[in-house]
Amino acid sequence: MGVSIFKTIRSPVIKIMYLLLAVSFFIGFGILGSLSFKPGLPEIKIGDSKVKYDEFMLVMKDMGGEDLPEETRAMRAFDMLVLRKAISSLMENEMKINIDKTSIFGILASPAGIRSRQDYNNLLRSLGVTQSSFENYLVDSYLFAKLQDIIVRVETAGDFTEFQNFVTRYLGSRQLSIAEIDKSKFSVKYHEKEMKKYYLINQHEFKVPEKREFWIAKFSSEEKARSFFDENKNTKFQSFEEFEKIVANKEGKATTTIIGKERGVQDLQLAPFFAVPEGTISPPLQARDEWWIVHVNKVFPENIMSFEEALPKIKQRFYTEQVKNELRKIISQKNLDSLDEFERFISKYSENIYRETIPIHLDFYPHIGVQQELTPYLSIEKEDFVFPIPVENKDKVFVVFIGKFFPAPEEKFSQMLISDVERIIQGIVASYLPRIKVKPASKEEAIKKLTGM
């Protein structure tokens, strides 16, 4: 089972391995929105992992094959689920490539626009998916992609000594010094003609998403909410004060809020009201221990900021770019080849300087997040140099010094240096499959327990 399935998952477009990290959040959201979760989320055990219904359905959606009979799709998805767990076990236990749930959150937060743990929790809650299942799915996908990366590099390396060097570098770590730049140390000139040109070329940056104003009547019981709705479903409220007074007469409490569509579609209660006309009033709906009547009072359509409205944002963009340009010049004129020398020099431009030793394979760095341009520089043999491009993360600018390299032990991978490395990797994966014990032991019983089929 292992080798045949393994072949089906290989693709010429292996570049998805890194793209996966950025888009799996969005793909996952799309998938999750289409799942119908069963009460209690039944679970089984695969190896040391507990697998719930929602994680299985994510894998099933990934497999596609909607034109196949449901039973066949479920069988194939289950084989893939077991294979993913085998690959994760191989990568974690033998190759020592580990990624914890905190790292997954960090990798996804920036490209997905998640600014806080609360945002993440709210989003998971609104989607109706368990956090553990979603993050298990992402960790397995990450390790799956990393194994594909190694196989492709083996096939293209040609020289297996080169491949061994690659593995020891790829699984090694780097010492970094990350300087957070104080932008106030730089003077910036603004040219209105250039800013107007930037505004016209980059209109997409100045879109103001649709917003909606909601008036919400909250009641302690369905009966009170129903009574309010029946009496006011055709009422044209002239003001929030009028709405609030009528709600109070029914022993309810009225609130008003304006929410942008981007955030609103993540809200379990309000998301449906971003697809209805202005003036809509809902029948009673339960929200935890309350009953709500939601009135869509006003829709503010998507629009583009005027140049004057966008000017602060444009200035901030120009400011940051000019600071980065100045830093490029400064870096290119100095030959900084020791960590201490770099920190002494850059301190006059910095707010903070952080020393970090990070595993190369995570592709995610403290303070600066995901930086695709930086990643290739961390696995090269050269040490003690300044990354020539200042990097940006959340409106902050950083300069990075790439210090000592600490390779992974070579002996762990000497067994892989034979004429057919891909076959060996496939064999290792296949050999892992029997080690992954499934409870219930029967595939049919396990699927039935997960899905109720």
mmCIF file with all atom_site columns, all heavy atoms in Angstrom, residues 117-138:
data_model
loop_
_atom_site.group_PDB
_atom_site.id
_atom_site.type_symbol
_atom_site.label_atom_id
_atom_site.label_alt_id
_atom_site.label_comp_id
_atom_site.label_asym_id
_atom_site.label_entity_id
_atom_site.label_seq_id
_atom_site.pdbx_PDB_ins_code
_atom_site.Cartn_x
_atom_site.Cartn_y
_atom_site.Cartn_z
_atom_site.occupancy
_atom_site.B_iso_or_equiv
_atom_site.pdbx_formal_charge
_atom_site.auth_seq_id
_atom_site.auth_comp_id
_atom_site.auth_asym_id
_atom_site.auth_atom_id
_atom_site.pdbx_PDB_model_num
ATOM 1   N N   . ARG A 1 117 ? -3.605  35.316 18.995 1.00 0.00 ? 117 ARG A N   1
ATOM 2   C CA  . ARG A 1 117 ? -4.130  33.981 19.285 1.00 0.00 ? 117 ARG A CA  1
ATOM 3   C C   . ARG A 1 117 ? -5.650  34.010 19.383 1.00 0.00 ? 117 ARG A C   1
ATOM 4   O O   . ARG A 1 117 ? -6.326  33.067 18.979 1.00 0.00 ? 117 ARG A O   1
ATOM 5   C CB  . ARG A 1 117 ? -3.497  33.478 20.583 1.00 0.00 ? 117 ARG A CB  1
ATOM 6   C CG  . ARG A 1 117 ? -4.063  32.164 21.086 1.00 0.00 ? 117 ARG A CG  1
ATOM 7   C CD  . ARG A 1 117 ? -3.850  31.020 20.130 1.00 0.00 ? 117 ARG A CD  1
ATOM 8   N NE  . ARG A 1 117 ? -2.456  30.653 19.987 1.00 0.00 ? 117 ARG A NE  1
ATOM 9   C CZ  . ARG A 1 117 ? -2.050  29.583 19.317 1.00 0.00 ? 117 ARG A CZ  1
ATOM 10  N NH1 . ARG A 1 117 ? -2.944  28.802 18.718 1.00 0.00 ? 117 ARG A NH1 1
ATOM 11  N NH2 . ARG A 1 117 ? -0.762  29.315 19.201 1.00 0.00 ? 117 ARG A NH2 1
ATOM 12  N N   . GLN A 1 118 ? -6.193  35.117 19.882 1.00 0.00 ? 118 GLN A N   1
ATOM 13  C CA  . GLN A 1 118 ? -7.640  35.219 19.984 1.00 0.00 ? 118 GLN A CA  1
ATOM 14  C C   . GLN A 1 118 ? -8.283  35.205 18.604 1.00 0.00 ? 118 GLN A C   1
ATOM 15  O O   . GLN A 1 118 ? -9.334  34.596 18.397 1.00 0.00 ? 118 GLN A O   1
ATOM 16  C CB  . GLN A 1 118 ? -8.031  36.492 20.748 1.00 0.00 ? 118 GLN A CB  1
ATOM 17  C CG  . GLN A 1 118 ? -9.531  36.582 21.057 1.00 0.00 ? 118 GLN A CG  1
ATOM 18  C CD  . GLN A 1 118 ? -10.008 35.427 21.910 1.00 0.00 ? 118 GLN A CD  1
ATOM 19  O OE1 . GLN A 1 118 ? -9.380  35.067 22.891 1.00 0.00 ? 118 GLN A OE1 1
ATOM 20  N NE2 . GLN A 1 118 ? -11.128 34.821 21.520 1.00 0.00 ? 118 GLN A NE2 1
ATOM 21  N N   . ASP A 1 119 ? -7.652  35.900 17.623 1.00 0.00 ? 119 ASP A N   1
ATOM 22  C CA  . ASP A 1 119 ? -8.162  35.854 16.252 1.00 0.00 ? 119 ASP A CA  1
ATOM 23  C C   . ASP A 1 119 ? -8.242  34.411 15.767 1.00 0.00 ? 119 ASP A C   1
ATOM 24  O O   . ASP A 1 119 ? -9.212  33.997 15.124 1.00 0.00 ? 119 ASP A O   1
ATOM 25  C CB  . ASP A 1 119 ? -7.243  36.647 15.310 1.00 0.00 ? 119 ASP A CB  1
ATOM 26  C CG  . ASP A 1 119 ? -7.356  38.139 15.515 1.00 0.00 ? 119 ASP A CG  1
ATOM 27  O OD1 . ASP A 1 119 ? -8.334  38.574 16.147 1.00 0.00 ? 119 ASP A OD1 1
ATOM 28  O OD2 . ASP A 1 119 ? -6.464  38.859 15.048 1.00 0.00 ? 119 ASP A OD2 1
ATOM 29  N N   . TYR A 1 120 ? -7.174  33.672 16.050 1.00 0.00 ? 120 TYR A N   1
ATOM 30  C CA  . TYR A 1 120 ? -7.100  32.283 15.603 1.00 0.00 ? 120 TYR A CA  1
ATOM 31  C C   . TYR A 1 120 ? -8.203  31.454 16.271 1.00 0.00 ? 120 TYR A C   1
ATOM 32  O O   . TYR A 1 120 ? -8.924  30.699 15.607 1.00 0.00 ? 120 TYR A O   1
ATOM 33  C CB  . TYR A 1 120 ? -5.718  31.754 15.961 1.00 0.00 ? 120 TYR A CB  1
ATOM 34  C CG  . TYR A 1 120 ? -5.399  30.365 15.461 1.00 0.00 ? 120 TYR A CG  1
ATOM 35  C CD1 . TYR A 1 120 ? -5.894  29.895 14.256 1.00 0.00 ? 120 TYR A CD1 1
ATOM 36  C CD2 . TYR A 1 120 ? -4.574  29.528 16.207 1.00 0.00 ? 120 TYR A CD2 1
ATOM 37  C CE1 . TYR A 1 120 ? -5.581  28.631 13.805 1.00 0.00 ? 120 TYR A CE1 1
ATOM 38  C CE2 . TYR A 1 120 ? -4.250  28.259 15.752 1.00 0.00 ? 120 TYR A CE2 1
ATOM 39  C CZ  . TYR A 1 120 ? -4.753  27.823 14.561 1.00 0.00 ? 120 TYR A CZ  1
ATOM 40  O OH  . TYR A 1 120 ? -4.435  26.564 14.113 1.00 0.00 ? 120 TYR A OH  1
ATOM 41  N N   . ASN A 1 121 ? -8.360  31.606 17.586 1.00 0.00 ? 121 ASN A N   1
ATOM 42  C CA  . ASN A 1 121 ? -9.386  30.849 18.298 1.00 0.00 ? 121 ASN A CA  1
ATOM 43  C C   . ASN A 1 121 ? -10.784 31.194 17.797 1.00 0.00 ? 121 ASN A C   1
ATOM 44  O O   . ASN A 1 121 ? -11.635 30.319 17.643 1.00 0.00 ? 121 ASN A O   1
ATOM 45  C CB  . ASN A 1 121 ? -9.284  31.123 19.802 1.00 0.00 ? 121 ASN A CB  1
ATOM 46  C CG  . ASN A 1 121 ? -8.041  30.515 20.414 1.00 0.00 ? 121 ASN A CG  1
ATOM 47  O OD1 . ASN A 1 121 ? -7.449  29.603 19.843 1.00 0.00 ? 121 ASN A OD1 1
ATOM 48  N ND2 . ASN A 1 121 ? -7.618  31.020 21.550 1.00 0.00 ? 121 ASN A ND2 1
ATOM 49  N N   . ASN A 1 122 ? -11.020 32.494 17.558 1.00 0.00 ? 122 ASN A N   1
ATOM 50  C CA  . ASN A 1 122 ? -12.331 32.902 17.046 1.00 0.00 ? 122 ASN A CA  1
ATOM 51  C C   . ASN A 1 122 ? -12.607 32.279 15.695 1.00 0.00 ? 122 ASN A C   1
ATOM 52  O O   . ASN A 1 122 ? -13.731 31.862 15.406 1.00 0.00 ? 122 ASN A O   1
ATOM 53  C CB  . ASN A 1 122 ? -12.393 34.429 16.944 1.00 0.00 ? 122 ASN A CB  1
ATOM 54  C CG  . ASN A 1 122 ? -12.459 35.098 18.298 1.00 0.00 ? 122 ASN A CG  1
ATOM 55  O OD1 . ASN A 1 122 ? -12.787 34.464 19.294 1.00 0.00 ? 122 ASN A OD1 1
ATOM 56  N ND2 . ASN A 1 122 ? -12.136 36.378 18.354 1.00 0.00 ? 122 ASN A ND2 1
ATOM 57  N N   . LEU A 1 123 ? -11.583 32.242 14.861 1.00 0.00 ? 123 LEU A N   1
ATOM 58  C CA  . LEU A 1 123 ? -11.751 31.688 13.526 1.00 0.00 ? 123 LEU A CA  1
ATOM 59  C C   . LEU A 1 123 ? -12.046 30.197 13.570 1.00 0.00 ? 123 LEU A C   1
ATOM 60  O O   . LEU A 1 123 ? -12.956 29.703 12.901 1.00 0.00 ? 123 LEU A O   1
ATOM 61  C CB  . LEU A 1 123 ? -10.495 31.957 12.700 1.00 0.00 ? 123 LEU A CB  1
ATOM 62  C CG  . LEU A 1 123 ? -10.583 31.610 11.217 1.00 0.00 ? 123 LEU A CG  1
ATOM 63  C CD1 . LEU A 1 123 ? -11.828 32.204 10.602 1.00 0.00 ? 123 LEU A CD1 1
ATOM 64  C CD2 . LEU A 1 123 ? -9.346  32.100 10.504 1.00 0.00 ? 123 LEU A CD2 1
ATOM 65  N N   . LEU A 1 124 ? -11.298 29.464 14.396 1.00 0.00 ? 124 LEU A N   1
ATOM 66  C CA  . LEU A 1 124 ? -11.554 28.031 14.532 1.00 0.00 ? 124 LEU A CA  1
ATOM 67  C C   . LEU A 1 124 ? -12.970 27.785 15.052 1.00 0.00 ? 124 LEU A C   1
ATOM 68  O O   . LEU A 1 124 ? -13.668 26.892 14.568 1.00 0.00 ? 124 LEU A O   1
ATOM 69  C CB  . LEU A 1 124 ? -10.527 27.409 15.488 1.00 0.00 ? 124 LEU A CB  1
ATOM 70  C CG  . LEU A 1 124 ? -9.091  27.327 14.980 1.00 0.00 ? 124 LEU A CG  1
ATOM 71  C CD1 . LEU A 1 124 ? -8.167  26.870 16.102 1.00 0.00 ? 124 LEU A CD1 1
ATOM 72  C CD2 . LEU A 1 124 ? -8.975  26.410 13.786 1.00 0.00 ? 124 LEU A CD2 1
ATOM 73  N N   . ARG A 1 125 ? -13.396 28.606 16.014 1.00 0.00 ? 125 ARG A N   1
ATOM 74  C CA  . ARG A 1 125 ? -14.732 28.438 16.581 1.00 0.00 ? 125 ARG A CA  1
ATOM 75  C C   . ARG A 1 125 ? -15.806 28.723 15.545 1.00 0.00 ? 125 ARG A C   1
ATOM 76  O O   . ARG A 1 125 ? -16.807 28.013 15.446 1.00 0.00 ? 125 ARG A O   1
ATOM 77  C CB  . ARG A 1 125 ? -14.889 29.349 17.800 1.00 0.00 ? 125 ARG A CB  1
ATOM 78  C CG  . ARG A 1 125 ? -16.206 29.148 18.545 1.00 0.00 ? 125 ARG A CG  1
ATOM 79  C CD  . ARG A 1 125 ? -16.198 29.808 19.914 1.00 0.00 ? 125 ARG A CD  1
ATOM 80  N NE  . ARG A 1 125 ? -15.850 31.213 19.864 1.00 0.00 ? 125 ARG A NE  1
ATOM 81  C CZ  . ARG A 1 125 ? -14.713 31.708 20.319 1.00 0.00 ? 125 ARG A CZ  1
ATOM 82  N NH1 . ARG A 1 125 ? -13.799 30.914 20.849 1.00 0.00 ? 125 ARG A NH1 1
ATOM 83  N NH2 . ARG A 1 125 ? -14.455 33.004 20.245 1.00 0.00 ? 125 ARG A NH2 1
ATOM 84  N N   . SER A 1 126 ? -15.588 29.751 14.755 1.00 0.00 ? 126 SER A N   1
ATOM 85  C CA  . SER A 1 126 ? -16.596 30.090 13.753 1.00 0.00 ? 126 SER A CA  1
ATOM 86  C C   . SER A 1 126 ? -16.684 29.037 12.660 1.00 0.00 ? 126 SER A C   1
ATOM 87  O O   . SER A 1 126 ? -17.731 28.844 12.051 1.00 0.00 ? 126 SER A O   1
ATOM 88  C CB  . SER A 1 126 ? -16.280 31.459 13.140 1.00 0.00 ? 126 SER A CB  1
ATOM 89  O OG  . SER A 1 126 ? -15.122 31.398 12.337 1.00 0.00 ? 126 SER A OG  1
ATOM 90  N N   . LEU A 1 127 ? -15.571 28.334 12.406 1.00 0.00 ? 127 LEU A N   1
ATOM 91  C CA  . LEU A 1 127 ? -15.565 27.279 11.401 1.00 0.00 ? 127 LEU A CA  1
ATOM 92  C C   . LEU A 1 127 ? -16.101 25.966 11.942 1.00 0.00 ? 127 LEU A C   1
ATOM 93  O O   . LEU A 1 127 ? -16.426 25.062 11.174 1.00 0.00 ? 127 LEU A O   1
ATOM 94  C CB  . LEU A 1 127 ? -14.139 27.052 10.875 1.00 0.00 ? 127 LEU A CB  1
ATOM 95  C CG  . LEU A 1 127 ? -13.540 28.206 10.072 1.00 0.00 ? 127 LEU A CG  1
ATOM 96  C CD1 . LEU A 1 127 ? -12.044 28.008 9.896  1.00 0.00 ? 127 LEU A CD1 1
ATOM 97  C CD2 . LEU A 1 127 ? -14.211 28.314 8.718  1.00 0.00 ? 127 LEU A CD2 1
ATOM 98  N N   . GLY A 1 128 ? -16.154 25.834 13.261 1.00 0.00 ? 128 GLY A N   1
ATOM 99  C CA  . GLY A 1 128 ? -16.651 24.605 13.848 1.00 0.00 ? 128 GLY A CA  1
ATOM 100 C C   . GLY A 1 128 ? -15.665 23.460 13.794 1.00 0.00 ? 128 GLY A C   1
ATOM 101 O O   . GLY A 1 128 ? -16.072 22.298 13.740 1.00 0.00 ? 128 GLY A O   1
ATOM 102 N N   . VAL A 1 129 ? -14.375 23.740 13.793 1.00 0.00 ? 129 VAL A N   1
ATOM 103 C CA  . VAL A 1 129 ? -13.354 22.701 13.710 1.00 0.00 ? 129 VAL A CA  1
ATOM 104 C C   . VAL A 1 129 ? -12.523 22.732 14.985 1.00 0.00 ? 129 VAL A C   1
ATOM 105 O O   . VAL A 1 129 ? -12.305 23.787 15.574 1.00 0.00 ? 129 VAL A O   1
ATOM 106 C CB  . VAL A 1 129 ? -12.435 22.916 12.490 1.00 0.00 ? 129 VAL A CB  1
ATOM 107 C CG1 . VAL A 1 129 ? -11.710 24.236 12.565 1.00 0.00 ? 129 VAL A CG1 1
ATOM 108 C CG2 . VAL A 1 129 ? -11.446 21.778 12.345 1.00 0.00 ? 129 VAL A CG2 1
ATOM 109 N N   . THR A 1 130 ? -12.086 21.564 15.425 1.00 0.00 ? 130 THR A N   1
ATOM 110 C CA  . THR A 1 130 ? -11.245 21.516 16.610 1.00 0.00 ? 130 THR A CA  1
ATOM 111 C C   . THR A 1 130 ? -9.837  21.987 16.270 1.00 0.00 ? 130 THR A C   1
ATOM 112 O O   . THR A 1 130 ? -9.303  21.673 15.204 1.00 0.00 ? 130 THR A O   1
ATOM 113 C CB  . THR A 1 130 ? -11.179 20.091 17.186 1.00 0.00 ? 130 THR A CB  1
ATOM 114 O OG1 . THR A 1 130 ? -10.656 19.208 16.189 1.00 0.00 ? 130 THR A OG1 1
ATOM 115 C CG2 . THR A 1 130 ? -12.556 19.607 17.617 1.00 0.00 ? 130 THR A CG2 1
ATOM 116 N N   . GLN A 1 131 ? -9.240  22.711 17.183 1.00 0.00 ? 131 GLN A N   1
ATOM 117 C CA  . GLN A 1 131 ? -7.885  23.227 16.967 1.00 0.00 ? 131 GLN A CA  1
ATOM 118 C C   . GLN A 1 131 ? -6.880  22.095 16.809 1.00 0.00 ? 131 GLN A C   1
ATOM 119 O O   . GLN A 1 131 ? -6.001  22.144 15.950 1.00 0.00 ? 131 GLN A O   1
ATOM 120 C CB  . GLN A 1 131 ? -7.478  24.128 18.135 1.00 0.00 ? 131 GLN A CB  1
ATOM 121 C CG  . GLN A 1 131 ? -6.074  24.696 18.004 1.00 0.00 ? 131 GLN A CG  1
ATOM 122 C CD  . GLN A 1 131 ? -5.722  25.637 19.137 1.00 0.00 ? 131 GLN A CD  1
ATOM 123 O OE1 . GLN A 1 131 ? -6.603  26.296 19.688 1.00 0.00 ? 131 GLN A OE1 1
ATOM 124 N NE2 . GLN A 1 131 ? -4.462  25.694 19.500 1.00 0.00 ? 131 GLN A NE2 1
ATOM 125 N N   . SER A 1 132 ? -7.006  21.061 17.625 1.00 0.00 ? 132 SER A N   1
ATOM 126 C CA  . SER A 1 132 ? -6.034  19.967 17.572 1.00 0.00 ? 132 SER A CA  1
ATOM 127 C C   . SER A 1 132 ? -6.060  19.273 16.215 1.00 0.00 ? 132 SER A C   1
ATOM 128 O O   . SER A 1 132 ? -5.008  18.987 15.634 1.00 0.00 ? 132 SER A O   1
ATOM 129 C CB  . SER A 1 132 ? -6.312  18.950 18.687 1.00 0.00 ? 132 SER A CB  1
ATOM 130 O OG  . SER A 1 132 ? -7.606  18.397 18.553 1.00 0.00 ? 132 SER A OG  1
ATOM 131 N N   . SER A 1 133 ? -7.251  19.017 15.668 1.00 0.00 ? 133 SER A N   1
ATOM 132 C CA  . SER A 1 133 ? -7.342  18.347 14.370 1.00 0.00 ? 133 SER A CA  1
ATOM 133 C C   . SER A 1 133 ? -6.758  19.204 13.257 1.00 0.00 ? 133 SER A C   1
ATOM 134 O O   . SER A 1 133 ? -6.031  18.726 12.388 1.00 0.00 ? 133 SER A O   1
ATOM 135 C CB  . SER A 1 133 ? -8.798  18.006 14.043 1.00 0.00 ? 133 SER A CB  1
ATOM 136 O OG  . SER A 1 133 ? -9.272  16.999 14.899 1.00 0.00 ? 133 SER A OG  1
ATOM 137 N N   . PHE A 1 134 ? -7.080  20.487 13.286 1.00 0.00 ? 134 PHE A N   1
ATOM 138 C CA  . PHE A 1 134 ? -6.598  21.382 12.239 1.00 0.00 ? 134 PHE A CA  1
ATOM 139 C C   . PHE A 1 134 ? -5.080  21.487 12.273 1.00 0.00 ? 134 PHE A C   1
ATOM 140 O O   . PHE A 1 134 ? -4.401  21.406 11.253 1.00 0.00 ? 134 PHE A O   1
ATOM 141 C CB  . PHE A 1 134 ? -7.243  22.755 12.409 1.00 0.00 ? 134 PHE A CB  1
ATOM 142 C CG  . PHE A 1 134 ? -6.972  23.698 11.272 1.00 0.00 ? 134 PHE A CG  1
ATOM 143 C CD1 . PHE A 1 134 ? -7.108  23.287 9.960  1.00 0.00 ? 134 PHE A CD1 1
ATOM 144 C CD2 . PHE A 1 134 ? -6.585  25.008 11.515 1.00 0.00 ? 134 PHE A CD2 1
ATOM 145 C CE1 . PHE A 1 134 ? -6.861  24.154 8.906  1.00 0.00 ? 134 PHE A CE1 1
ATOM 146 C CE2 . PHE A 1 134 ? -6.342  25.883 10.473 1.00 0.00 ? 134 PHE A CE2 1
ATOM 147 C CZ  . PHE A 1 134 ? -6.481  25.454 9.163  1.00 0.00 ? 134 PHE A CZ  1
ATOM 148 N N   . GLU A 1 135 ? -4.515  21.611 13.463 1.00 0.00 ? 135 GLU A N   1
ATOM 149 C CA  . GLU A 1 135 ? -3.068  21.755 13.569 1.00 0.00 ? 135 GLU A CA  1
ATOM 150 C C   . GLU A 1 135 ? -2.345  20.438 13.300 1.00 0.00 ? 135 GLU A C   1
ATOM 151 O O   . GLU A 1 135 ? -1.253  20.427 12.728 1.00 0.00 ? 135 GLU A O   1
ATOM 152 C CB  . GLU A 1 135 ? -2.710  22.334 14.934 1.00 0.00 ? 135 GLU A CB  1
ATOM 153 C CG  . GLU A 1 135 ? -3.165  23.781 15.061 1.00 0.00 ? 135 GLU A CG  1
ATOM 154 C CD  . GLU A 1 135 ? -2.856  24.410 16.406 1.00 0.00 ? 135 GLU A CD  1
ATOM 155 O OE1 . GLU A 1 135 ? -2.459  23.671 17.337 1.00 0.00 ? 135 GLU A OE1 1
ATOM 156 O OE2 . GLU A 1 135 ? -3.004  25.644 16.526 1.00 0.00 ? 135 GLU A OE2 1
ATOM 157 N N   . ASN A 1 136 ? -2.941  19.305 13.680 1.00 0.00 ? 136 ASN A N   1
ATOM 158 C CA  . ASN A 1 136 ? -2.358  18.011 13.308 1.00 0.00 ? 136 ASN A CA  1
ATOM 159 C C   . ASN A 1 136 ? -2.287  17.870 11.796 1.00 0.00 ? 136 ASN A C   1
ATOM 160 O O   . ASN A 1 136 ? -1.287  17.398 11.241 1.00 0.00 ? 136 ASN A O   1
ATOM 161 C CB  . ASN A 1 136 ? -3.182  16.862 13.888 1.00 0.00 ? 136 ASN A CB  1
ATOM 162 C CG  . ASN A 1 136 ? -3.013  16.734 15.390 1.00 0.00 ? 136 ASN A CG  1
ATOM 163 O OD1 . ASN A 1 136 ? -2.052  17.243 15.960 1.00 0.00 ? 136 ASN A OD1 1
ATOM 164 N ND2 . ASN A 1 136 ? -3.953  16.064 16.029 1.00 0.00 ? 136 ASN A ND2 1
ATOM 165 N N   . TYR A 1 137 ? -3.362  18.279 11.132 1.00 0.00 ? 137 TYR A N   1
ATOM 166 C CA  . TYR A 1 137 ? -3.406  18.229 9.669  1.00 0.00 ? 137 TYR A CA  1
ATOM 167 C C   . TYR A 1 137 ? -2.306  19.093 9.052  1.00 0.00 ? 137 TYR A C   1
ATOM 168 O O   . TYR A 1 137 ? -1.626  18.693 8.101  1.00 0.00 ? 137 TYR A O   1
ATOM 169 C CB  . TYR A 1 137 ? -4.790  18.702 9.210  1.00 0.00 ? 137 TYR A CB  1
ATOM 170 C CG  . TYR A 1 137 ? -4.916  18.996 7.741  1.00 0.00 ? 137 TYR A CG  1
ATOM 171 C CD1 . TYR A 1 137 ? -5.103  17.980 6.836  1.00 0.00 ? 137 TYR A CD1 1
ATOM 172 C CD2 . TYR A 1 137 ? -4.861  20.315 7.266  1.00 0.00 ? 137 TYR A CD2 1
ATOM 173 C CE1 . TYR A 1 137 ? -5.231  18.246 5.473  1.00 0.00 ? 137 TYR A CE1 1
ATOM 174 C CE2 . TYR A 1 137 ? -4.978  20.593 5.921  1.00 0.00 ? 137 TYR A CE2 1
ATOM 175 C CZ  . TYR A 1 137 ? -5.163  19.553 5.031  1.00 0.00 ? 137 TYR A CZ  1
ATOM 176 O OH  . TYR A 1 137 ? -5.278  19.824 3.686  1.00 0.00 ? 137 TYR A OH  1
ATOM 177 N N   . LEU A 1 138 ? -2.097  20.285 9.613  1.00 0.00 ? 138 LEU A N   1
ATOM 178 C CA  . LEU A 1 138 ? -1.073  21.185 9.076  1.00 0.00 ? 138 LEU A CA  1
ATOM 179 C C   . LEU A 1 138 ? 0.339   20.661 9.335  1.00 0.00 ? 138 LEU A C   1
ATOM 180 O O   . LEU A 1 138 ? 1.208   20.750 8.462  1.00 0.00 ? 138 LEU A O   1
ATOM 181 C CB  . LEU A 1 138 ? -1.234  22.575 9.687  1.00 0.00 ? 138 LEU A CB  1
ATOM 182 C CG  . LEU A 1 138 ? -2.511  23.314 9.291  1.00 0.00 ? 138 LEU A CG  1
ATOM 183 C CD1 . LEU A 1 138 ? -2.596  24.635 10.046 1.00 0.00 ? 138 LEU A CD1 1
ATOM 184 C CD2 . LEU A 1 138 ? -2.567  23.549 7.804  1.00 0.00 ? 138 LEU A CD2 1
#
